[in-house]
Amino acid sequence: MKDQPMPAPETSPSGEPGTGGHPTGSRGAWLRETVVILASALLLSLVIKTFLFQAFYIPSASMQDTLIEGDRVLVTKLAPGPLDVHRGDVVVFKDPGGWLPPVVAEEQSPLAEWTTSVLTYVGLLPQDSGEHLIKRIIGLPGDRVASDGGGAPVTVNGVEVSEPYVREGSIPSEVQFDVVVPEGNLWVMGDNRQNSQDSRYHLGDPGGGSVPVDNVVGVAFVTVWPADRFTLLRNPGATFEPVPEP
């Protein structure tokens, strides 16, 4: 009778004899992989937020009906920058000074405050717009933007513009103004004209109500939340086609 080979003892992934149970080394490898995946996801999110896109929360009615309170929008940071901004773009910009009232921070536990700050910083939560505003570009540097007020249309470089995005029931402007946008600045207005403290209401501020291009975070291009509000925010190019260069 031939000798039968003896079965080899069970070994762990490290090559050491084991009992056949779940090896400790495997759990350690799984934990390391999980940490690497989470760290990579956070880093990727931070890179995207810093250089490409950022989410913002809409806190007011100044852009109705294009945007309503509670909407979340995505902003591309490629414009201004590699890409140019255009008349008609909806832009998020940092308060140039005095446009927003002081923010009263909502009370949170230290842990909740820290968690919110970190997730917002890396881009996993939308910016709450506490120091940012969102409006539509009406005038570019050098443009002459005007209205006789009392419901009169807005003109850009002497051409009356038809504005389909203005909220139904609103008038183009109840305020009279006639300004030339300084170099390096933008003239912005809300779509909900009678409920928007925009460039028209800051004529006495430095820059005459205009916003420095350097304050612009980017161009809003899509409403992503709530889900039933998902909408691409397209530039109304036809509105400004007849406008000549300044």
Side-chain angles (χ1 to χ4, degrees), residues 10-245:
E10 293 185 15
T11 61
S12 69
S14 62
E16 296 296 327
T19 61
H22 189 77
T24 303
S26 177
R27 283 197 295 268
W30 177 85
L31 182 59
R32 285 194 299 272
E33 289 177 6
T34 301
V35 170
V36 169
I37 290 171
L38 289 176
S40 300
L42 289 173
L43 179 60
L44 178 61
S45 181
L46 179 59
V47 169
I48 290 173
K49 179 209 163 184
T50 302
F51 299 106
L52 298 176
F53 308 111
Q54 186 172 355
F56 283 87
Y57 169 80
I58 305 302
S60 75
S62 70
M63 282 296 292
Q64 285 186 346
D65 290 320
T66 304
L67 300 169
I68 63 175
E69 292 172 86
D71 281 352
R72 272 75 165 173
V73 298
L74 275 185
V75 166
T76 173
K77 293 189 167 186
L78 297 177
L83 304 178
D84 293 328
V85 292
H86 303 90
R87 302 181 192 100
D89 284 345
V90 175
V91 292
V92 171
F93 57 95
K94 190 171 182 179
D95 185 355
W99 285 42
L100 289 171
V103 177
V104 179
E106 185 177 328
E107 286 192 18
Q108 292 182 308
S109 69
L111 177 59
E113 185 175 347
W114 180 85
T115 303
T116 299
S117 298
V118 170
L119 293 180
T120 301
Y121 180 76
V122 299
L124 295 179
L125 281 181
Q127 193 84 28
D128 66 3
S129 302
E131 59 178 11
H132 294 84
L133 300 98
I134 186 165
K135 306 289 181 189
R136 191 180 297 275
I137 297 175
I138 305 299
L140 295 172
D143 282 347
R144 182 178 182 180
V145 188
S147 173
D148 290 334
V154 173
T155 63
V156 181
N157 298 334
V159 174
E160 181 180 312
V161 291
S162 175
E163 301 182 278
Y165 43 77
V166 171
R167 187 183 188 189
E168 186 176 356
S170 294
I171 57 177
S173 183
E174 71 282 10
V175 177
Q176 182 180 1
F177 62 92
D178 188 341
V179 299
V180 174
V181 183
E183 194 62 33
N185 285 258
L186 304 168
W187 183 267
V188 298
M189 298 170 70
D191 292 355
N192 189 1
R193 293 288 163 82
Q194 281 64 67
N195 192 12
S196 176
Q197 297 291 312
D198 48 43
S199 289
R200 298 169 296 162
Y201 290 90
H202 297 276
L203 294 169
D205 293 355
S210 60
V211 174
V213 174
D214 289 344
N215 282 39
V216 176
V217 177
V219 176
F221 67 96
V222 63
T223 304
V224 293
W225 192 260
D228 61 354
R229 290 276 303 158
F230 182 88
T231 313
L232 292 177
L233 302 173
R234 302 183 186 277
N235 180 290
T239 296
F240 295 96
E241 277 183 1
V243 175
E245 294 303 309

